[in-house]
Structure formats: C-alpha cells, structure tokens
Amino acid sequence: MRRLCFALDLIDDAALIAEYEARHAPGAVWPAVTAHLRALGFEAMEIWRTGNRMTMIAEVAEDYPRAVPEPPENAEWEALMWRFQQPLPHAAEGEKWVAMQCIFRLEDQ
C-alpha cells in the first residue's frame, strides 16, 4: 500500500468552512462518491485542516488509480465542493487537490 498526500485551500470564510466540515461528517458524503473512491483504490483517507488549509492523507492500493467509470454523482459532488474550495496559488488550471512531495521521514534518519 502507498501513502499519498495532497493539499487544498478552502475559501477563508468561517460559515463556509463549517458547512464544508458538516458535508464531510461521518455518513454525510454521498455514498456514490465514497464508493467511487474505494473503486479507484483508496484504502484509507483522512482530511486534516488548519485555518483554511487542508491536507489529505490517503493510503492507496498498488494498482491505484484503477480505471473505473465515474458515477454522475461524482461530478455533481465536485462541482458542489468548488463552492467551498479555492486552488493553491501554484495549482495548474482546474487542479484541486495538489500532490505533496515527502521531504522527510523519521524512519530514514
């Protein structure tokens, strides 16, 4: 299993951040979206937040990303999430979650 990390910013508005967190509470994410994530090869995923900066930590299967059809709900969910999110300054056009590079591992020291 591999671990991947990504970063993304939220719009810096307390009400929007609270709503974003509510939409990610246990059982709140649409089942088709979570099923698609699992089908792609996500084994585990966490999103952490400080201020308006978020970090996603994901453990993925060795064959991630798998070629699976995207359910229509996924595009609808992503469009809804753009209401709360803003790209990082260095993100490519249309890029949401930007992959992070691991630069330190305690186990390597």
Side-chain angles (χ1 to χ4, degrees):
M1 198 168 340
R2 297 180 294 153
R3 182 180 305 144
L4 305 174
C5 295
F6 302 88
L8 177 65
D9 285 347
L10 293 172
I11 294 171
D12 199 5
D13 176 284
L16 287 176
I17 290 172
E19 184 177 346
Y20 186 86
E21 287 190 359
R23 291 183 178 274
H24 287 80
V29 176
W30 301 347
V33 172
T34 56
H36 181 64
L37 290 170
R38 289 185 173 100
L40 284 169
F42 284 91
E43 303 286 337
M45 178 192 291
E46 296 176 337
I47 298 175
W48 293 68
R49 181 183 67 80
T50 181
N52 70 319
R53 174 70 41 96
M54 296 187 299
T55 300
M56 177 196 303
I57 303 166
E59 292 181 1
V60 298
E62 291 300 321
D63 61 345
Y64 167 85
R66 298 173 184 147
V68 296
E70 183 175 333
E73 296 92 341
N74 201 63
E76 187 179 346
W77 175 265
E78 291 300 328
L80 175 62
M81 291 303 103
W82 264 125
R83 177 174 165 238
F84 309 99
Q85 301 166 335
Q86 61 183 358
L88 295 177
H90 60 277
E93 181 70 28
E95 184 178 28
K96 286 182 121 183
W97 289 97
V98 176
M100 300 175 77
Q101 179 183 357
C102 180
I103 63 166
F104 173 84
R105 292 177 201 259
L106 183 59
E107 64 194 48
D108 295 339
Q109 301 302 311

